[in-house]
Amino acid sequence: MQGLMMNYPLTLPHILERAGKLFPKIEIVSRLPDKKIHRTNYGEFYKRTRLFSEALQKAGLKPGDRVATLCWNHYRHLEAYFGIPCAGGVLHTLNLRLHADDIAYIASHAEDRFLVVDDVLLPVYEQFKGKHKFERVFVIRSEGKPLPAGCEDYEDLLKTASGKWDYPKIDENDALGMCYTSGTTGKPKGVLYSHRAIVLHTLCGGLVDNNGICHNDSLLLIVPMFHANGWALPFICAMVGSKLVLPGPHVDPESVLQLFDSERVTFSAGVPTVWQGVLEALDKNPGKWRIEKGARLACGGSAPPEALMRGLDRHGLYLKHLWGMTELSPLGTAGYFKQNLGELPDEKRYAIRKTQGLPIPYVDCRIWSDTGEAPWDGKTMGELQVRGPWVAGNYFKDEGEGDKWTKDGWFRTGDVAVIDEEGYVKLTDRTKDLIKSGGEWISSVDLENAIMGHPAVREAAVIAIPHPKWDERPLAVVVKKDGADVTLDELKQFLAPKFAKWWLPEGLAFVPEIPHTSTGKIQKLKLREQFQNWKW
Amino acid sequence: MQGLMMNYPLTLPHILERAGKLFPKIEIVSRLPDKKIHRTNYGEFYKRTRLFSEALQKAGLKPGDRVATLCWNHYRHLEAYFGIPCAGGVLHTLNLRLHADDIAYIASHAEDRFLVVDDVLLPVYEQFKGKHKFERVFVIRSEGKPLPAGCEDYEDLLKTASGKWDYPKIDENDALGMCYTSGTTGKPKGVLYSHRAIVLHTLCGGLVDNNGICHNDSLLLIVPMFHANGWALPFICAMVGSKLVLPGPHVDPESVLQLFDSERVTFSAGVPTVWQGVLEALDKNPGKWRIEKGARLACGGSAPPEALMRGLDRHGLYLKHLWGMTELSPLGTAGYFKQNLGELPDEKRYAIRKTQGLPIPYVDCRIWSDTGEAPWDGKTMGELQVRGPWVAGNYFKDEGEGDKWTKDGWFRTGDVAVIDEEGYVKLTDRTKDLIKSGGEWISSVDLENAIMGHPAVREAAVIAIPHPKWDERPLAVVVKKDGADVTLDELKQFLAPKFAKWWLPEGLAFVPEIPHTSTGKIQKLKLREQFQNWKW
């Protein structure tokens, strides 16, 4: 027997309407390329977004057509975020940090018809425009420079709209947006989000124990809007009416902290590297910037080191670790202390904060080991597999990536993890990055985190190097702090209390910089290439 | 083009599994009929609920079958809350405060097959059992008394389960539960909730600006679980892992405040009458009970008077006003201060807190006046109409109640309201209770609220009485405080600064008590009958 409730679809226009009607005076603040501050509000955003939707339809947009964006975080990117899906199109955020060839591949694979691009990013566009032909290119202009041939002004497009317009009929399972994964190997793969998935993810992501964002927040979005839906925060902000602060291209610590001060930021989100820089700036300039009491930082992309969390705590900034993936819209787990844990000693608190946290509601997590589903014992490693209404069920035009899903319908994350008795998920490695020494597994991530606690180390990566006796052994690749030094023996001594002897690095190499992917993850593949001729 | 996300249904078993796996040690505390405290946790709850589900299927439960409960708030009622829907059945909470004939009508209309009943409520059951035959009656026993003929022990039913059991396949649109509205006129009407509606309502209800419940809360559920899904709080608690405190039949102020103290309650929910009693007890016994810092009270059912909110504020209890209806699962609006309102003077703050608040996400609200959709001007009255995924689209076995929905698909609440420029909804009256004086409308609710601010008044109701000249005029019906007195002239003088002259009551009548419905609302119909021969 079916229930007798209304058939009301979970689609994005509701959030746009809500923001326009209930929160017209709440501010949206953007930092422009010239560092000037631009102020608007959800009222203006609502009007302009609807104009953009209408204009897109007039420009020939058909339901399901992909419209790409190549933009920093600012108010007009936000208009595209809502305007494209509300017109029935599919928002395709291009990652401007990728190689031009990759961007071209992605735009072609997605069959993007239109492009919205920042004028300051036209040089990026120039590099790949020969390889994928957009039908129309709309330029968001912040500088007075003339438009390149074949491009149109975004503002001129808006002028083609009448303002008398109604949303097309959208089914909740219709595609809303897409985002390509920045795979460290293989071709990028497209995740195609539905309206339903994004709405559910927005509701769940806003819960107290997840992001916990409310009407009273001022949210600084440092994570790029081209990374996995900007961690869904633009949608949550518009839904609950929190102030939104968008930093444009300026995400250096000084610029970020200026915004914390001037915009009374209560919540921000970014990868550990950003917070590392912020911490250093705060340490160097105590009292220079006002930090709101109880301000929270959402941190994802990779696991935050303990020293970073401790440092930020000193400045009244609480870093909360969340874990997600492009394929999860992106949120999968969130860190907090369950009340049955009671009062915990400091050390235990940080140990929990370093984990990926607990599965969020409506996401199922399991660990799949060689012998099947692993117990939640904190010890048995296996692949983390997930399931839920905002988890990808397939890739766009999937070509042989079917092995990313199990036969019983779980998504294989490619991460090796354990789940402890309390349900905390702890990633130990990427399946590809585990080190197999003498038949036993060593987690490169655990070693990296510990090495980064050494006073002489700025950043560290651990990779597997073939070994004549042990099959593989760990090599520590380290960036030293200015003027500091450390030897392999000193490092091993430092690590000895925390690990079995056979886990300790076999070698130590210094580098000026560790390569990262465009989303801030360590590029192990590149490091392994760099050290392929390493001799023990 | 459809998105490519997993097809993961929004059903209740996920929340039960989540509670059992992630929160097994979190407490569920119940006060039993003999006032003793019973302690269990989500781990035990999980096991017993699944046993109950399995046993129900063994007892012959088929998908969609209705199972009634006639219970106070306690841990075994919670087992039924989850166990019935997770077995594929429909949880039908009977309102034990209704007249026996009404309960019989409702159970028959719903075609309830089984009944779960508290032993202390068997006297209620005895009164209506002749009028509806349940196939099986399971008694939750708290006393040693023998079972009546034809009844079985709830615990014996559980013993029939093996513990090896898996959930049936449930579609998210399948019915989860039902609840009959306590109409002040006409027959009660059945609202049939789907799994999807309840899950969405649970996600939305947990958001910071709505109930804002988290892992750290200790939630005392005073609102009966037979009132509109216990305001969905049992589902939210199990989802986020907050401690749940269930008061059984003991909701007198003393018992409630003892639980606040012993269980370190941080959140509670109930109708204004409950909080009125709590306030009086706190005023009489300062310092007797420990109140957690920042404790919040959710208040609905009817609008809380300003004096109540001010009084509770003095004791560090923040009362938050939310509005809902059985037909809305129940949540429709929630009260909070948007950030663009800035710092508000006290008077303005309470004025906003008295409103029903802002529509919650995915609920649309509009005011329908004689001339169509009314502007949000805070002045134009009309019927409040709502729409959303957890709003009823029909009644169970609907018999001519089709006029409760507009042709364009909105639910007609029967409430008269205005919405102001900021989106705050303010109920002014039930459509049936408005007073039409000289062709103009007078809100009985506004008058009642103001009259209750008079120092001599404990409670007040205002009803329309036919008038030879003005068509109708307002009569104030008042319960005086012990030893206090007031005349009509004094009352009019007291009200004069707040209302147009023609709004002031035409007459004043004293009664020892004002009749209420079983859900705490004033029974205007009964009052109108009582005063049908009133002469001006």
Side-chain angles (χ1 to χ4, degrees):
Chain A
M1 185 169 68
Q2 294 219 319
L4 290 169
M5 308 309 278
M6 282 186 186
N7 181 14
Y8 186 104
L10 303 174
T11 56
L12 198 60
H14 176 90
I15 296 181
L16 179 58
E17 285 294 307
R18 179 176 173 82
K21 276 187 185 154
L22 289 183
F23 310 120
K25 296 173 198 157
I26 308 283
E27 273 192 310
I28 299 168
V29 180
S30 306
R31 202 194 278 275
L32 302 179
D34 64 1
K35 296 214 80 175
K36 285 215 186 82
I37 296 291
H38 174 276
R39 292 178 187 280
T40 181
N41 54 41
Y42 286 110
E44 283 304 307
F45 156 74
Y46 169 76
K47 279 182 219 152
R48 286 175 49 89
T49 299
R50 285 175 46 91
L51 292 178
F52 180 52
S53 291
E54 181 189 354
L56 279 175
Q57 288 195 332
K58 281 199 170 154
L61 183 86
K62 297 276 179 304
D65 282 352
R66 271 75 71 204
V67 179
T69 63
L70 189 71
C71 303
W72 296 105
N73 292 9
H74 51 63
Y75 70 102
R76 289 189 281 198
H77 199 181
L78 192 69
E79 291 163 11
Y81 242 64
F82 283 79
I84 295 165
C86 288
V90 177
L91 164 75
H92 180 196
T93 50
L94 293 172
N95 184 340
L96 57 93
R97 295 202 186 116
L98 294 183
H99 190 277
D101 287 349
D102 285 334
I103 303 181
Y105 168 82
I106 288 171
S108 296
H109 189 266
E111 302 167 55
D112 294 334
R113 285 188 65 198
F114 303 158
L115 173 69
V116 177
V117 56
D118 285 355
D119 56 1
V120 292
L121 292 168
L122 283 169
V124 177
Y125 166 66
E126 297 291 335
Q127 287 176 55
F128 73 89
K129 71 173 185 182
K131 292 176 181 154
H132 177 73
K133 174 93 187 109
F134 296 98
E135 293 177 39
R136 308 272 290 265
V137 176
F138 306 108
V139 179
I140 290 176
R141 299 173 82 181
S142 61
E143 301 169 329
K145 290 187 194 154
L147 282 172
C151 292
E152 303 166 63
D153 190 320
Y154 174 87
E155 294 296 330
D156 288 340
L157 176 70
L158 261 59
K159 285 179 195 144
T160 65
S162 69
K164 281 172 193 138
W165 178 79
D166 205 1
Y167 303 100
K169 200 171 158 53
I170 300 172
D171 183 272
E172 70 179 35
N173 291 309
D174 284 348
L176 171 149
M178 78 194 304
C179 200
Y180 277 69
T181 60
S182 53
T184 43
T185 55
K187 284 285 179 196
K189 295 170 283 281
V191 179
L192 194 61
Y193 306 105
S194 63
H195 280 261
R196 172 185 161 104
I198 293 300
V199 169
L200 289 171
H201 183 269
T202 301
L203 287 169
C204 190
L207 289 172
V208 189
D209 295 328
N210 300 337
N211 288 297
I213 296 164
C214 76
H215 69 280
N216 238 354
D217 278 315
S218 170
L219 188 144
L220 172 60
L221 189 74
I222 299 173
V223 57
M225 289 165 73
F226 53 78
H227 278 183
N229 305 308
W231 298 356
L233 298 167
F235 301 119
I236 300 177
C237 286
M239 182 175 79
V240 305
S242 70
K243 176 176 167 179
L244 186 54
V245 185
L246 301 165
H250 306 289
V251 293
D252 58 285
E254 184 91 8
S255 301
V256 163
L257 282 161
Q258 274 173 9
L259 289 175
F260 263 84
D261 184 314
S262 63
E263 305 307 324
R264 314 290 296 261
V265 169
T266 59
F267 188 106
S268 187
V271 294
T273 318
V274 168
W275 304 127
Q276 194 65 53
V278 162
L279 174 59
E280 283 167 25
L282 285 170
D283 280 343
K284 270 188 210 146
N285 307 278
K288 182 169 178 188
W289 300 283
R290 174 176 50 181
I291 302 288
E292 288 295 302
K293 214 180 150 188
R296 298 150 288 151
L297 311 177
C299 184
S302 62
E306 179 172 332
L308 175 60
M309 293 190 279
R310 285 187 182 265
L312 291 166
D313 281 342
R314 284 199 312 272
H315 294 284
L317 285 165
Y318 187 87
L319 186 146
K320 182 180 173 114
H321 183 199
L322 303 110
W323 169 83
M325 293 179 78
T326 303
E327 288 91 339
L328 272 76
S329 300
L331 201 53
T333 61
Y336 53 92
F337 303 103
K338 298 195 292 182
Q339 61 179 269
N340 60 287
L341 300 177
E343 291 291 322
L344 292 169
D346 234 32
E347 197 184 350
K348 182 84 185 140
R349 287 180 71 86
Y350 285 108
I352 291 179
R353 287 178 63 185
K354 274 193 290 182
T355 72
Q356 274 62 32
L358 299 164
I360 64 171
Y362 283 86
V363 169
D364 295 324
C365 289
R366 74 178 182 191
I367 301 296
W368 203 259
S369 73
D370 295 341
T371 54
E373 189 167 349
W376 289 16
D377 60 6
K379 283 177 287 193
T380 314
M381 281 191 208
E383 185 178 41
L384 176 63
Q385 301 182 346
V386 297
R387 203 171 62 171
W390 47 86
V391 178
N394 210 336
Y395 291 122
F396 184 59
K397 300 197 289 190
D398 181 29
E399 288 136 9
E401 287 291 343
D403 65 335
K404 289 291 286 179
W405 286 269
T406 66
K407 278 190 186 144
D408 58 345
W410 294 66
F411 173 68
R412 301 180 54 194
T413 64
D415 281 311
V416 179
V418 297
I419 303 182
D420 73 12
E421 294 79 356
E422 293 287 352
Y424 290 91
V425 176
K426 187 165 170 255
L427 297 198
T428 55
D429 227 323
R430 293 291 297 169
T431 45
K432 294 181 183 71
D433 296 337
L434 271 179
I435 300 154
K436 193 148 202 182
S437 170
E440 298 286 343
W441 294 109
I442 295 173
S443 160
S444 64
V445 173
D446 283 353
L447 279 178
E448 283 158 10
N449 285 339
I451 294 169
M452 281 196 265
H454 191 281
V457 175
R458 181 189 304 282
E459 195 175 8
V462 173
I463 55 172
I465 300 283
H467 190 279
K469 182 171 176 189
W470 302 110
D471 194 13
E472 290 180 348
R473 288 294 295 152
L475 170 70
V477 183
V478 162
V479 183
K480 284 186 283 192
K481 282 195 186 152
D482 293 347
D485 210 350
V486 63
T487 65
L488 176 61
D489 275 349
E490 283 164 2
L491 191 62
K492 283 166 83 167
Q493 223 167 351
F494 174 76
L495 298 171
K498 294 179 188 155
F499 298 100
K501 207 175 161 215
W502 58 273
W503 271 54
L504 300 182
E506 193 74 24
L508 174 62
F510 297 114
V511 290
E513 205 177 355
I514 283 177
H516 290 94
T517 67
S518 66
T519 55
K521 294 188 179 94
I522 296 174
Q523 274 185 305
K524 296 274 175 93
L525 190 69
K526 221 169 216 175
L527 274 182
R528 278 193 291 263
E529 281 170 13
Q530 194 177 333
F531 289 94
Q532 59 187 329
N533 299 318
W534 177 268
K535 294 277 172 269
W536 294 113
Chain B
M1 185 170 67
Q2 294 217 322
L4 290 170
M5 307 309 278
M6 282 187 186
N7 183 13
Y8 187 105
L10 303 173
T11 57
L12 197 60
H14 176 91
I15 296 181
L16 179 58
E17 285 293 309
R18 179 175 173 82
K21 276 188 186 153
L22 289 183
F23 311 120
K25 296 174 198 158
I26 310 282
E27 274 194 309
I28 299 168
V29 180
S30 306
R31 201 193 279 276
L32 303 178
D34 65 1
K35 297 213 80 177
K36 284 213 185 80
I37 296 291
H38 174 276
R39 291 179 189 278
T40 181
N41 54 42
Y42 286 110
E44 284 302 306
F45 156 73
Y46 169 75
K47 280 182 218 151
R48 286 175 50 88
T49 298
R50 284 175 46 91
L51 292 178
F52 181 53
S53 291
E54 181 189 355
L56 278 175
Q57 287 194 332
K58 281 199 168 152
L61 184 87
K62 297 275 178 308
D65 282 352
R66 271 74 72 202
V67 179
T69 63
L70 189 70
C71 302
W72 296 106
N73 292 9
H74 51 65
Y75 70 103
R76 289 190 282 199
H77 199 181
L78 191 70
E79 291 163 12
Y81 242 64
F82 283 79
I84 295 165
C86 287
V90 178
L91 164 75
H92 180 198
T93 50
L94 293 172
N95 183 340
L96 56 92
R97 294 201 187 117
L98 294 182
H99 189 278
D101 287 350
D102 285 333
I103 302 181
Y105 167 82
I106 289 171
S108 296
H109 188 266
E111 302 167 56
D112 294 334
R113 283 187 66 198
F114 303 158
L115 173 70
V116 176
V117 56
D118 284 354
D119 55 0
V120 293
L121 292 169
L122 282 169
V124 177
Y125 167 65
E126 296 292 333
Q127 286 176 53
F128 73 89
K129 71 173 184 180
K131 291 177 181 153
H132 177 72
K133 176 92 186 107
F134 295 97
E135 291 176 41
R136 308 272 293 262
V137 176
F138 307 109
V139 179
I140 290 177
R141 298 172 83 181
S142 61
E143 302 169 329
K145 289 187 194 154
L147 282 171
C151 292
E152 303 165 63
D153 190 320
Y154 173 86
E155 294 297 331
D156 288 340
L157 176 70
L158 260 59
K159 284 177 195 145
T160 66
S162 69
K164 281 172 195 141
W165 178 79
D166 205 2
Y167 304 100
K169 201 172 154 55
I170 300 172
D171 183 273
E172 70 179 36
N173 290 308
D174 284 348
L176 170 150
M178 77 195 303
C179 200
Y180 277 70
T181 61
S182 54
T184 43
T185 54
K187 284 285 179 196
K189 295 171 283 282
V191 179
L192 194 62
Y193 306 104
S194 63
H195 280 261
R196 172 184 161 104
I198 293 300
V199 169
L200 288 171
H201 183 268
T202 301
L203 287 169
C204 190
L207 288 172
V208 190
D209 295 329
N210 301 334
N211 288 297
I213 296 164
C214 77
H215 70 282
N216 236 354
D217 278 315
S218 170
L219 188 145
L220 172 60
L221 189 74
I222 299 173
V223 57
M225 289 163 74
F226 52 79
H227 277 184
N229 305 309
W231 298 356
L233 298 168
F235 301 119
I236 300 177
C237 286
M239 181 175 79
V240 304
S242 70
K243 174 175 167 180
L244 186 53
V245 184
L246 301 165
H250 306 290
V251 294
D252 59 286
E254 185 91 9
S255 302
V256 163
L257 282 161
Q258 274 173 11
L259 289 175
F260 263 84
D261 183 315
S262 62
E263 306 306 325
R264 314 288 297 259
V265 169
T266 59
F267 187 106
S268 187
V271 294
T273 319
V274 168
W275 304 127
Q276 194 64 53
V278 162
L279 174 58
E280 283 168 24
L282 285 170
D283 280 344
K284 272 188 206 146
N285 306 278
K288 183 169 177 186
W289 300 282
R290 174 178 49 181
I291 302 289
E292 289 296 301
K293 215 180 150 188
R296 299 149 288 151
L297 311 177
C299 183
S302 61
E306 180 172 331
L308 174 60
M309 293 191 280
R310 285 187 181 266
L312 291 166
D313 281 341
R314 284 199 314 270
H315 295 283
L317 284 166
Y318 187 86
L319 186 146
K320 180 178 175 116
H321 183 200
L322 303 111
W323 169 83
M325 292 179 79
T326 303
E327 288 90 340
L328 272 75
S329 300
L331 200 54
T333 61
Y336 54 93
F337 302 103
K338 298 196 293 183
Q339 62 180 269
N340 61 287
L341 300 177
E343 291 291 320
L344 292 168
D346 234 34
E347 196 183 352
K348 182 83 184 144
R349 287 179 72 86
Y350 285 108
I352 291 177
R353 287 179 63 185
K354 275 194 290 183
T355 72
Q356 274 61 32
L358 298 165
I360 64 172
Y362 283 86
V363 169
D364 295 323
C365 290
R366 73 179 183 190
I367 302 295
W368 202 259
S369 73
D370 296 341
T371 53
E373 189 167 350
W376 289 16
D377 59 6
K379 284 179 286 192
T380 314
M381 281 191 210
E383 185 178 41
L384 177 62
Q385 301 181 345
V386 297
R387 206 170 60 170
W390 48 85
V391 177
N394 210 336
Y395 291 122
F396 184 60
K397 298 198 289 190
D398 182 29
E399 288 137 7
E401 288 290 342
D403 65 336
K404 289 292 285 180
W405 286 269
T406 67
K407 277 187 186 149
D408 59 345
W410 294 65
F411 174 68
R412 302 179 54 194
T413 64
D415 281 312
V416 179
V418 297
I419 302 182
D420 73 12
E421 294 79 356
E422 293 287 351
Y424 289 92
V425 176
K426 188 167 168 253
L427 297 196
T428 55
D429 226 323
R430 293 291 297 170
T431 44
K432 293 181 183 71
D433 296 335
L434 272 179
I435 300 154
K436 192 144 202 183
S437 170
E440 298 287 345
W441 295 109
I442 295 173
S443 159
S444 64
V445 172
D446 282 355
L447 279 177
E448 282 159 10
N449 284 339
I451 293 170
M452 281 196 267
H454 190 281
V457 175
R458 181 188 304 281
E459 196 176 5
V462 173
I463 54 171
I465 299 284
H467 190 279
K469 182 171 175 189
W470 302 108
D471 193 11
E472 289 179 349
R473 288 292 295 150
L475 171 69
V477 183
V478 162
V479 183
K480 282 186 286 193
K481 281 194 186 154
D482 293 347
D485 210 350
V486 61
T487 65
L488 176 61
D489 275 349
E490 283 164 2
L491 190 63
K492 284 166 80 167
Q493 222 166 352
F494 174 75
L495 299 172
K498 294 176 189 159
F499 297 100
K501 208 173 160 216
W502 57 274
W503 271 54
L504 301 181
E506 193 75 23
L508 173 62
F510 296 113
V511 288
E513 206 176 353
I514 283 175
H516 290 94
T517 67
S518 66
T519 54
K521 294 191 178 91
I522 296 174
Q523 276 186 304
K524 295 275 175 93
L525 189 72
K526 219 168 218 179
L527 273 182
R528 279 194 290 264
E529 281 168 14
Q530 194 178 334
F531 288 96
Q532 61 185 325
N533 299 318
W534 175 270
K535 294 276 170 275
W536 294 112

